[in-house]
Amino acid sequence: MGQLGIVLEGEVRIVRIDMEGNERLFQKLVPSYMLGADVVCTPTRQSPYSAYGSQDAKVWYFDWMPGHEKWEEELERRLMEFIANENVRKFYRIDILSTKSVRMRVLKYLRIQCRKRGSDTVEIPYSREEMANYLCVNRSVLSDELGRMQEEGLITFRKNRFTLCEGVSSYK
């Protein structure tokens, strides 16, 4: 891979497909996100993941050969910032997935999202199926656990809008 991409419209899914053909969602890229930045900066330029766009996705691809023009310096700075942010996102994902229980995965994920937004309420970018896929759990198991968590007063939710109840939040 020798090109960078910037998502202009729609969304691009970053996935890993296992030997049985099962897809694991790593990230959904929306407009302004860079695609392939982590790969073009490695010596081999081989991608460990696959990417595909929704029907309305538009991605601007361009060759990455850093030079010394003013705009290239700005692009290089933004690229390094993007890679640093990606590493932080991946750290959080590893932290979430290293937790054994579904409940703790959900709570860690929601706490991270709430902390990023500075609020106890957050709208996540995933459907229930996508959330289960992101957390590497079965959708019905996730739905059951979310129901129990709501009954116990830990969270409230409607579709993809979640609120951490008092005593559960740690965004401050």
Side-chain angles (χ1 to χ4, degrees), residues 24-26 92-93 95-110 112-113 124 126-138 142-143 145-146 149 162:
R24 287 282 175 218
L25 176 66
F26 283 94
Y92 284 132
R93 179 107 193 270
D95 187 38
I96 290 166
L97 296 181
S98 67
T99 304
K100 292 190 187 314
S101 78
V102 174
R103 176 174 294 212
M104 289 311 297
R105 285 184 187 190
V106 169
L107 285 174
K108 275 189 178 188
Y109 173 71
L110 292 176
I112 290 166
Q113 297 307 308
I124 64 167
Y126 301 126
S127 67
R128 195 67 75 238
E129 182 69 34
E130 291 169 333
M131 183 180 185
N133 194 340
Y134 181 82
L135 297 173
C136 296
V137 298
N138 179 284
L142 174 63
S143 293
E145 188 62 37
L146 289 173
M149 291 169 73
F162 290 82

Side-chain angles (χ1 to χ4, degrees), residues 26-28 30 33 85-86 88-93 96 107-126 134 164 169-172:
F26 283 94
Q27 190 173 11
K28 283 175 31 175
V30 295
Y33 273 64
N85 286 334
E86 280 301 297
V88 170
R89 276 192 276 281
K90 288 174 184 170
F91 167 80
Y92 284 132
R93 179 107 193 270
I96 290 166
L107 285 174
K108 275 189 178 188
Y109 173 71
L110 292 176
R111 284 179 177 147
I112 290 166
Q113 297 307 308
C114 287
R115 191 175 19 226
K116 283 170 49 177
R117 287 164 184 79
S119 172
D120 284 332
T121 299
V122 63
E123 216 164 292
I124 64 167
Y126 301 126
Y134 181 82
L164 293 176
S169 175
S170 66
Y171 76 86
K172 296 176 182 174

Side-chain angles (χ1 to χ4, degrees), residues 1-2 36-48 64 79 83:
M1 187 168 176
D38 49 347
V39 177
V40 298
C41 293
T42 63
T44 64
R45 293 187 174 198
Q46 292 183 2
S47 178
W64 173 248
L79 179 60
I83 291 171

